[in-house]
Amino acid sequence: MKRVLSFALLWLVLPFSHSANAQNTADGVKWEHRFEEAARQAATGHKPILMVFAGSDWCKPCILLRKEVWDTPAFRDYAKEHFVLLELDFPRFKKNQLPEEQKKYNEQLADRYNQEGLFPLVVLTDEKGNVLGKTGYQAGGPDKYIPHLEQLLHQK
C-alpha cells in the first residue's frame, strides 16, 4: 500500500517539478520570457541580452540550435557569465501552445526585432533594447557559436 501511495504522490508532484525546472536548470542557467526582467538583469549584471526567436516544435534549425548549442554544458557555462538569456517561442502544435498573454507579448517583440519573421533569430541587445547584432543557426556547436557571438558583440 505504501508503494502505491508513493507512486501516486510521485505522479502528482512530477508535473509540477518539471514545469518549475523548465526555465531554471540545476546549473543555474535561466531563460527569461519577459524583456523587462531580462533588461533588469542585464543592467544589474552589466551583460548583453541574448534574445532567441524560436519555433520550438516545428523549426528544424531552431531545434538543432537548442540541441547543438543552448543545451550544451560549454554554452551554459559561458552564458552564465556573459549573457542574460531571453527566449521568445512560437510553437505551432496545439499541445505546446503558450498562454495567450505570452503569445501576444512574443508577437510584440517580434514586431520590433524580427520583422522579417526569421527562425531561428538570435538578437543581441543591451539592457535598453538597442540591437548589438543579429544571427541565426550555424553548425559547429558551442566551439564555433560562442566565438561567433563574441565577434558580433565586438563589431560596433
Side-chain angles (χ1 to χ4, degrees), residues 59-70 119-122 135-141 145 148:
C59 169
K60 186 172 181 178
C62 301
I63 294 165
L64 288 172
L65 188 56
R66 174 169 293 285
K67 181 181 177 182
E68 294 175 9
V69 180
W70 308 148
F119 289 90
L121 179 65
V122 177
T135 190
Y137 170 77
Q138 292 193 8
Y145 209 82
H148 173 63

Side-chain angles (χ1 to χ4, degrees), residues 56-58 89-99 103:
S56 64
D57 63 1
W58 59 270
D89 194 13
F90 294 81
R92 289 188 180 163
F93 296 125
K94 187 175 181 178
K95 68 179 183 175
N96 299 327
Q97 289 303 299
L98 302 172
K103 281 187 203 177

Side-chain angles (χ1 to χ4, degrees), residues 33 51-60 62-63 66 86-94 96-115 117-121 123:
H33 299 283
M51 182 185 317
V52 179
F53 291 89
S56 64
D57 63 1
W58 59 270
C59 169
K60 186 172 181 178
C62 301
I63 294 165
R66 174 169 293 285
L86 175 63
E87 181 184 40
L88 303 160
D89 194 13
F90 294 81
R92 289 188 180 163
F93 296 125
K94 187 175 181 178
N96 299 327
Q97 289 303 299
L98 302 172
E100 197 60 38
E101 179 184 339
Q102 187 69 46
K103 281 187 203 177
K104 288 179 183 176
Y105 185 84
N106 291 0
E107 289 169 4
Q108 288 173 348
L109 284 176
D111 287 344
R112 180 172 178 189
Y113 294 103
N114 191 5
Q115 295 174 350
L118 301 173
F119 289 90
L121 179 65
V123 182

